């Protein structure tokens, strides 16, 4: 269900509540309004966010996180919609985070990706949330990792994270997901595109969508050729290449099978634990850096930063020495 829907049994004032234990209990019980409220607290950076994280910590690491990325127009939302259908047929509870680009001028976003997923709007086993990137680079929102934890806490077995339409260097989803799907479509590049560094290097599974179009065979060959060029040791994962026509629901079972195969490999080789520890390290670092930025920002109201800036501008001190003094002022 989208976060506008909730079962009749879910009653009570959760819309503006900051009662974290109550919200987590209701989210665990399947109340989508409580899930929506928790994600809103995450996105807004509310002061109760540490309480939210602490309450959700016991439920972390239970959901399979699958990232879907690719250029605009390759069919990410349609593929996500069909994957949800396949996962629900298996009995999984599914969460979807669809990241939409925000305007560089107004900061607003259409949040339209979930419009393509209205087939599941009334399904109590599906939670769909659109999030604005809010200017964050990498194809995600800065709040996405904590939003994933909310959906894990709400009992989702699988969390699908659909990025904005990304370019070759926007690869942040790979650090968040257990399995990363890179979607491609025929006619969106030549063989040179297939060997460029960046987004194509993060794929655990390649999905050649719209495979009924001319050029699909050439796209598959280009990707397979790129994979063959990579150096891999014994037992290392070799990315799968899957054809699909998501608009007709074709190839979705093959995508799900490739995800399963990669999950089995991750568990057998200890890679799943390594990836999740790396994800946790990135979260800790981001929180620490965010706190440090806030503390530096507070200095703008005083005299230390402007004084140092004036000294650097007039050549009395170099910026590295100034930064050292600033950090000393912060007690770091």
């Amino acid at each position: 269900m989208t976060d506008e829907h909730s079962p009749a049994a879910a009653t009570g004032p959760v819309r503006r509540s900051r009662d974290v234990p109550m919200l987590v209990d209701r989210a665990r019980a399947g109340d989508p309004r409580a899930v929506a409220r928790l994600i809103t607290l995450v996105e807004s950076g509310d002061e109760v966010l540490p309480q939210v994280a602490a309450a959700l910590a016991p439920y972390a690491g239970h959901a399979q996180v699958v990232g879907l990325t690719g250029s605009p127009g390759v069919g990410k939302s349609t593929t996500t919609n069909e994957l949800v259908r396949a996962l629900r047929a298996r009995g999984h509870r599914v969460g979807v985070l669809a990241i939409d680009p925000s305007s560089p001028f107004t900061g607003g976003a259409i949040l339209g990706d979930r419009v393509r997923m209205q087939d599941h709007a009334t399904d109590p086993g599906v939670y769909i949330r659109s999030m604005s990137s809010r200017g964050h680079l990498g194809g995600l929102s800065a709040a996405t990792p904590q939003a994933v934890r909310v959906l894990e806490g709400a009992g989702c077995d699988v969390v699908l994270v659909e990025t904005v339409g990304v370019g070759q260097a926007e690869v942040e989803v790979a650090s968040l997901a257990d399995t990363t799907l890179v979607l491609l479509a025929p006619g969106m590049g030549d063989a040179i595109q297939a060997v460029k560094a960046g987004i194509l290097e993060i794929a655990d599974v390649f999905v050649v969508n719209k495979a009924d179009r001319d050029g699909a065979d050439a796209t598959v060959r280009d990707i397979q050729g790129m994979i063959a060029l990579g150096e891999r040791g014994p037992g290392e994962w070799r990315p799968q290449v899957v054809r699909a026509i998501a608009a007709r629901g074709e190839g979705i079972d093959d995508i799900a099978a490739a995800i399963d195969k990669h999950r089995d490999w991750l568990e057998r080789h200890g890679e799943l634990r390594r990836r999740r520890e790396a994800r946790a390290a990135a979260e800790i670092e981001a929180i620490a850096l965010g706190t440090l930025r806030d503390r530096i920002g507070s200095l703008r109201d005083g005299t230390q930063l402007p004084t140092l800036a004036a000294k650097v501008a007039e050549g009395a001190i170099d910026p590295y020495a100034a930064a050292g003094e600033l950090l000393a002022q912060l007690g770091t």
Side-chain angles (χ1 to χ4, degrees):
M1 66 187 65
T2 57
D3 48 22
E4 292 94 341
H5 295 82
S6 60
T11 59
V14 301
R15 185 175 180 181
R16 298 186 181 280
S17 175
R18 297 168 78 247
D19 182 343
V20 173
M22 180 271 288
L23 289 172
V24 171
D25 286 345
R26 290 202 172 189
R28 295 285 297 168
D31 181 351
R33 290 184 296 181
V35 178
R37 180 58 181 156
L38 287 170
I39 294 179
T40 297
L41 292 173
V42 166
E43 284 194 283
S44 63
D46 193 279
E47 62 182 18
V48 301
L49 185 52
Q51 298 176 43
V52 173
L56 293 172
Y59 313 111
H62 300 298
Q64 181 179 11
V65 182
V66 179
L68 295 92
T69 189
S71 301
V74 296
K76 294 189 297 296
S77 294
T78 304
T79 302
T80 300
N81 185 66
E82 294 304 315
L83 269 177
V84 171
R85 194 186 313 279
L87 291 167
R88 288 295 293 143
R90 297 180 176 187
H92 293 316
R93 191 172 183 186
V94 183
V96 178
L97 295 174
I99 316 301
D100 286 293
S102 55
S103 168
F105 304 105
T106 66
I110 295 176
L111 302 181
D113 278 343
R114 70 179 174 197
V115 172
R116 301 186 179 97
M117 305 179 203
Q118 288 303 301
D119 295 349
H120 310 289
T122 58
D123 185 343
V126 179
Y127 182 89
I128 300 170
R129 172 77 173 224
S130 284
M131 300 177 68
S132 168
S133 64
R134 301 192 180 191
H136 185 76
L137 300 179
L140 300 177
S141 160
T144 305
Q146 293 303 316
V148 168
R149 290 188 177 275
V150 171
L151 294 181
E152 284 185 312
C156 290
D157 301 301
V158 182
V159 178
L160 302 177
V161 181
E162 179 193 332
T163 73
V164 303
V166 298
Q168 289 169 322
E170 295 174 309
V171 296
E172 188 176 352
V173 68
S175 65
L176 176 67
D178 301 323
T179 300
T180 301
L181 275 58
V182 172
L183 276 68
L184 305 156
M188 301 192 74
D190 56 17
I192 301 300
Q193 292 293 108
V195 297
K196 283 188 176 180
I199 191 172
L200 295 182
E201 293 183 299
I202 68 172
D204 298 306
V205 178
F206 287 101
V207 178
V208 179
N209 193 29
K210 306 181 182 182
D212 53 338
R213 291 185 175 181
D214 292 340
D217 290 342
T219 301
V220 171
R221 285 196 303 270
D222 290 342
I223 296 302
Q224 290 175 333
M226 182 208 70
I227 294 172
L229 292 174
E231 295 183 2
R232 292 177 181 82
E236 288 190 30
W237 175 254
R238 181 183 177 89
Q240 306 288 289
V241 184
V242 181
R243 299 171 186 253
I245 309 173
R248 299 207 297 251
E250 297 179 13
I252 302 302
D253 288 340
D254 294 335
I255 297 173
I259 294 171
D260 290 342
K261 185 176 181 180
H262 184 246
R263 174 63 180 253
D264 290 342
W265 178 86
L266 290 172
E267 291 178 339
R268 282 188 287 106
H269 290 80
E271 183 68 11
L272 183 62
R273 179 175 179 177
R274 190 201 68 79
R275 289 193 179 195
R276 291 184 172 181
E277 288 178 353
R279 182 194 311 168
E283 284 185 69
I284 295 167
E285 182 180 33
I287 292 169
L289 289 174
T291 302
L292 185 59
R293 279 193 296 269
D294 289 342
R295 291 172 64 184
I296 290 175
S298 67
L299 292 179
R300 292 181 181 275
D301 298 329
T303 61
Q304 180 75 1
L305 187 57
T307 299
L308 289 170
K311 288 182 178 180
V312 170
E314 66 188 19
I317 189 175
D318 68 85
Y320 284 93
E325 289 190 30
L326 184 63
L327 290 173
Q329 178 75 12
L330 292 172
T332 60

